[in-house]
Amino acid sequence: MSAASTESRELELVGKVEMRIALAKDEKLESVLKLYLPPLLLKLASDHAPVRNKVISTCHHIKIRLAGNQSVVLPVGALLKQYKENSESSMIRHFDLLFIQQSIGKLSSSDQLDLLPVLLHGLSQDAGKPTCATVFNLFLRLLPRLRLPLRGSKEDEELGSKLGLDERRDDAAFVSSWIGKLVLLSVRPSSVAALGGNVTCPGLSPDEYGFLTLSGKIETWDPSQNEGLNLTETKITTLSFLASGAFQDAEKFVPALLAAADTNSRISSIGEDLLKRTTVSLEDPIRVEELFDLYLRSRPALQTRILSLLSKSTTATKFPTKIAEIVQSSVQPRDLSVPIIMGLEARKLRNAMFNFMNWVSRVGSPEDLRQVAPFLVSFLRSYIEEQGWPVPVARSQEDAELRPLAYETLGSMAKTVPTIVREKDLFLVRWLFRSLTEDRSSGNTFISIQGALASLLSIFKPPLDSDVIAPLRSLLLEYMTQEEDENIVRSARFTTVRWANRCLEYSDIVGRWIDILAVGGHQDERNDVLEEGNKGLDPYWYGLSASSDMPTLTESFPLPNWTDLVKVFFTGESLMENSHVANAMKSGMEIDGISIFGNFSGHKIGAFAHAVSYCRRMLLLEALETTNPNIRSNADWERQLDVLLRTDKASRETVKEYMKSLSPGVISIFFTAAFEGVLSNDGNGLLDCGKTFVELGSLTSRTSLDALAPRAEELLAAIRSNNVTTRSLAAQALGMLVPHPVNSARYVARLEQLLLDISKTWPTAVGAEANKVHGSITALGYLLSRSVFYGRMSDLDETCTVKVVTQFLNVLENAKDVTHRDAALNALSQLSAAGLLTQARISQASYESTTVVQLLSAEAKKGNEKAASALGRFAMMFDDDSGDDKPLPTILRSLYDLYDLRQAEVQFTVGEALACAAAGWQSQSLLLSLDIDTQYQGRMQPPSILKSMMAKLLADCKTTKPSLKKASGIWLFCLIQHCGHLEAVQTRLRECQAAFMGLLSARDDLVQETASRGLSLVYEQGDKALRERLVNDLVASFTGTSTKIKVDEETELFEPGALPIGEGESVTSYKDIMSLAAEVGDQSLVYKFMSLASNAATWSTRAAFGRFGLSSILSESAIDPKLYPKLYRYRFDPNPNVQRSMNDIWTALVKNPTVVVNDYFDAIMDDLLINILGKEWRTRQASCAAIADLVQGRQFEKYEKYLGQIWDMAFKVLDDIKGSVRKAAESLCQVMAGILVRQLEQGTSSKNAQAGLQQVMPFLFSTRGLESSSTDVQKFAYSTVLKLVKSGGKALLPFIPTLVEQILGLLSTLEPDFINYIHMNAAKYDTTEEKIDEARSTMVSHSPMMEAVERCLDLLDDATMKSLVPCLQNIIKTAVGMPSKIGCSGVLVSLSTRHSFVFRPHADIFLKAIETAVLDRNSTVSAAYARAAGYLARLVSDVQIVQLATYSKSLYFGAEDETRRQISADIVYAMSKFATDRFNALASEILPFVFLAKHDFDGHVKDQFGKTWDENVGGSRAVLLYLKEIIVISAERIESPKWAIKHTAALTIADVVTSCGTSISLANAQTIWPALEKALALKTFDGKDRLLEGFVTFTKAGKVLWESSPEIAVQMKKIAIREAKRNNESYKAHAYASLGEYAEARTDIDMFGEVYDIVGPRLEELTDENSMDTTEDDRSSGTTSKDTATITAGINALFRAVNVSSSALSPSSHVEKLYGLLKRVLASPKSNIGTKMALYERMRALFTEWKGGAPGPEDSSYQLGLKMFGLLEMPLGSGSELVRSKRAEAAETIILAFARGAFGASSEGRGACGEQMAAGMAEAKKHERSAGVQNVLDRGLKALRM
């Protein structure tokens, strides 16, 4: 067939169709179009243009027909299907959509729902096509018809399949994507759109904006248009659809994120909820990139959220380019047109940005960081510098807050790429150091800079390359020695020292020099600098910190080279080569060519002593590390060094040998420095320089001191120091140097004589002179004794020596100054040790040996340690102990007699003295005191002395005297310590062991410690058999199997005063126990006291058990496993001594604690669970602490089976009788709770957390937890529950119903008792119960318990919500206390607002429950439930909302008092405020009732209903909308038996009349009048005056009614008269006023007669003088005011009743009658200014209206005018200006009426009348002062003259 024939045929077909359509009648048009329209549109795909044009013209014709037939519904389904099938023909699709849009809104809901899947299918394939936006808009229009199933239900899960989205995930993704963009949409004003161009909104591109607005059509989102949509409601609908099961989490994520950041709370709440329920991976690169792109076009709030998500994604760190872009845009946008973000949003965003950058620096891979870090670091540095650097310029608050964050982030980012920081000259580090010292930013900016510098420390972990370490040293030295000036605002010393300690190796001398300057370089240095400096000098701390920073570092890290250390510190050698900073430090004095103080100029002199002391410590460490390799790994290594040096001969020998290996020159420099330190400060020395010199000088070779020996005389200044320690050390140094072989005998003798001469002044010396004497005596003792040790006895002058001995003895005997005696004792001790204090010299000094012994003994008995030491050394002069009268036995007895001295230190000195007396120079104590390099052989004692001494001490260790026993144990210990190598001791070691074992059970801690240390000494020196026996005995003692107390009558079992029995006495010995038992007659007391003593002994034994080396004894033997449970428990004993001992033993016994505890876990736990309820409080307390320690760090499975028991026992002990046990139990509970909380924080997948909760939660809710009778237990259970709730997450779901119920109940239980007291006594505290209840309510709302409930509610899902419903119902019904009830209402509010999705199905139940709960007697509770009802009204069904409205009405109308009416008001107001849309839907049902109730007489009810009305209607005329309903309800309630309701209804009717305005239609008037008539028939009540006002208003505005209905007019007149005749005095004034206004309104009749008949007699009665002469009581002010008001109202009524306009008679007759009454009334004292003002006003009104058409009788009219004029009393001119003005105006109107002829037109008498009026006016003007009043008077006079 040819093309022409095809075209003609197609045209013919189209023509026929067009004809069919054109001829179709309107009622047939729809059927015709359904048949022909789809195939007609298919012809738009024709190849022939004429055909297509013909179809288009036909379509235009159809559109015209449809415009006139709006009811026609096109075949939308067929057209839509055709649209989908013709994706290639834009013409067909265009016209299909055109006609679809025209009819889709006319389809039924079911038909529309059927189209929804069709619309969705293939939508993603249309992306980018013009019609896609229209289809999506159609989808949005149809979506509200879709009723979404309950979330989580089966229908919800099948929704995707129902809509066909399960097989078309691309369509689902497309829809979800555009829902997200829809959330961002904000429609621009039409004025903006009219400008053209690329119109958009934040977050959307112009194309996206055009897609959603159908190419910018404003009407698309205008609800007032025919097809317009409400943007907010559409967003909410689409988000609800998105939340359904039709979409996957990945598709929901981005739209949910966008919604959560929306400013509309309704939208953001949905978004928040959706985000919580959405689980997606933030490690998906596509999703992360999408977030980056979204960030760049989002608002700040959304950007902040996106950053918080990116800060959780590792993948986000793999987009360096994107990171740089968003950082640039957030902190410093390049686009200047972008508005700068300010305020809170800016702070949040930038904080989030810096957190993100920190995240990138922590998590990013090195490769990615190398790309982005340099830019970010450079950018941040530039940003800071642009603000002003180092001193910032004036800046905004945001900049000030951003600057520290920039520093912090710069540091964290820079550390990720070390090359940035390590670049040449350490530019960035130097930049930060300068910022630290010179940045003047306020606040905590410097802390941020310090943090940035701290971040970079990890880059400089030692060892460092040489090209880095040199500039680093220089930089640190520069800032350590920086002098402060005007540019320096803060010191960088702390940071400098920290860098030196972390970045420079310990062997680095520059680093240690910086530490030296830190601890001593500045006076008043900050504590943190001092602490950091001390850390840097401490090798233990360095090893500890370095091991964490540098795992490869071993403990044997090198120490600073001692030789270099000394040279750098104390010579001219530079700290660094070619360093101007280091070289600039060199200045000071030269000493022997060595600049000792070169590095210590100025304030740095304080560092000198620290430098010397540090060199000493390093020398000792290096020397002793070979024999004690682990010494530096101990925290107390310094103390150990001192102890070894002082007590260990081998260690001293090691140090000697090491010092010999050092360069003599360097040794000489070091001792020179120490020597100079002693001499410094005017002889007062510098800190430990003297100690260093003496201590190390005693170990060095004599040649090392050759150079200093000749300078010994310089020490004379130091021995005169005011400091006794300095004097003593200087004296010892002088004694070491003067006798040195390099000094001549003459030099020695000269100094001896010099010192002797100085000391001779001792009898008279005081103050500084006394110090010189003390130093000289001490120095003489050292000088003479060291001369003997050096073998220079021959160089001493014997005569001088005798003089010295004589003087020492004289000082000892006669000196009153204690320091002098102490010096003499020390000197005599030195002389005795050297053998100089012989009997011959004593005799030459005129003394006897026995005298000396007596003098020394007397001092020793005073507790003088020096005297005891001198006694022991003096005994070395004698070796004969055969007789008691010999010196040696006497001395020994004197020493033995010192046992009763309580000072432990003295007893150790006595023990040393006994060792010297027994062994002489074989005693280690004497050998260790030799402080010069020489071989001296001193006097030895016979072995018999030591043997006898051993025998005595062993015997005394068994004595029952505590003090002797204590002293003997200490002395025995000292003998073994100092003489243990001698045979006399070695042969009795077994006995010593037995003695010490016996002492272990002593109750004195010191005796226990001594015994324990003694056992250690015995063990060290004993053989194998002895060691095994010792171990066995100790274990038996510990386990309690062999602990026995052997007693006799004198055995002291208790400390004096421990068991008082009154009158200052107490039980102490066994004999006392027996006596007390006999007196009481109860022999069982013996056993009870012995049990106490035995227990005390056992514990004391255990306390001493682990000390001083016993642990090492036990560690060598096999241990019974049964020991582990007991030992583990004892480690936590309340007694600190027991704790310390047990920990020592545990450490020694258990080499691998983890393995042992795991192996014996069950045994240990069983033992603890048994003992936690033991009889002894200490056992219970220890068990609590032990269990807490045992479970921490263990696998949950290990103790899972014990969990219930642990909680049970812990809560039992939590109520223990002893406070410390309760505290321990609380700690255990805290530990258990903490473990469970940490498990919960791992997430819902943690099986341990689930198992733990299954065990714990039922327990916490039981009578042993929250329902316990113990307050402490209850409170702790509560706090535990709060912790679990805070961290529980999804694991808590099974427990949420019970949790919520329990916590709500606890709100009342845990409320403090004092609140109830204050509530009951509110008046005493000048407050009210209501205010207290408001405070209680606020407290509940903000309490941690309610926060916990909110957290529980946040986790709700549909299943849990169903379980929660009965629990919540129960607590609402059963809650007793106010806090619990407030909490329940708060939960309902939260569920209604924040959890509406899961709560909606159950809302009806709770709204019904509230109907009962809201009736609570407490008004605060009632208001809270009413508020909850308002929120619930959002979610409930229509039936239930109607029920709520009905309930509120019944509550109001059925109320017996105002309380229930108040509740009704609260409910209705809450519903209108919180569920406005639901309220508006029932407006016609509720608002009439609200209008009525707002007239209630109770203030609260009136206010609440008034607010409800005002907030929901627009103006007073809105009453007309509900007029019929209001009148109906009011008329009904007038019949109510309750007076309050009756009166409220009446006032409502009055208000209706008032609200109708000045004109009431006939229909409305007919509706109102019956109700108004009923209301007026009510008896008088307070407020009925308002009803009368309404009546008058109705008379005026409803004129059309009474004019058309004469019977109504008659009835109205009767009512007005009836009300005026009522007898209520308060009401009468209002009734008269209303009567007057009514008469005035009825212009059709003259009511003056009726009014006068009612009012006149009453006024006459009130003003009758006879009736006024009553008692004073009747003439009260209240009664007078009522009378005056009645009079005033009566005058008003009478004047108003004069009908000037329609009276058949002249008004003159009425006025004449009125005048007579007025004259009497005005003369009455009850008339006041108000009465006169009313008179003036009404006269003015009357005479203004009084025309001249009906004059009265000619003989009386003028006279009447004068009479009325006379009532004004014009000549008097009295009253205020306002009164006078009103009077003048009234006179003026009378004159004008006169002029108009109102009083007649006759000339007779007219002139006289006018003259009299003029005279009155003139007289008034004469006395008038006011210009305004004068003007009125002038006008009146002028009118008279006319």
Side-chain angles (χ1 to χ4, degrees), residues 189 780 1178 1547 1719 1768 1827:
L780 270 173
R1178 61 174 68 247
L1547 295 184
K1719 191 171 183 181
L1768 298 177

Side-chain angles (χ1 to χ4, degrees), residues 1293-1338:
L1293 277 175
F1295 310 99
I1296 284 177
T1298 310
L1299 253 176
V1300 172
E1301 183 177 7
Q1302 290 278 359
I1303 293 176
L1304 289 175
L1306 278 176
L1307 286 170
S1308 295
T1309 307
L1310 297 182
E1311 186 180 45
D1313 294 336
F1314 73 87
I1315 291 181
N1316 287 325
Y1317 174 80
I1318 295 176
H1319 193 271
M1320 294 173 64
N1321 297 274
K1324 292 183 181 179
Y1325 297 94
D1326 194 24
T1327 185
T1328 62
E1329 293 181 358
E1330 288 74 17
K1331 289 182 179 179
I1332 295 173
D1333 285 340
E1334 288 177 9
R1336 292 169 75 190
S1337 176
T1338 303

Side-chain angles (χ1 to χ4, degrees), residues 764-778:
T764 58
V766 292
E769 194 65 26
N771 293 337
K772 289 169 60 178
V773 170
H774 173 268
S776 300
I777 294 173
T778 307

Side-chain angles (χ1 to χ4, degrees), residues 1407-1424:
L1407 189 58
K1408 187 68 178 174
I1410 280 181
E1411 292 181 3
T1412 303
V1414 79
L1415 300 178
D1416 196 89
R1417 288 178 297 175
N1418 187 297
S1419 60
T1420 304
V1421 172
S1422 176

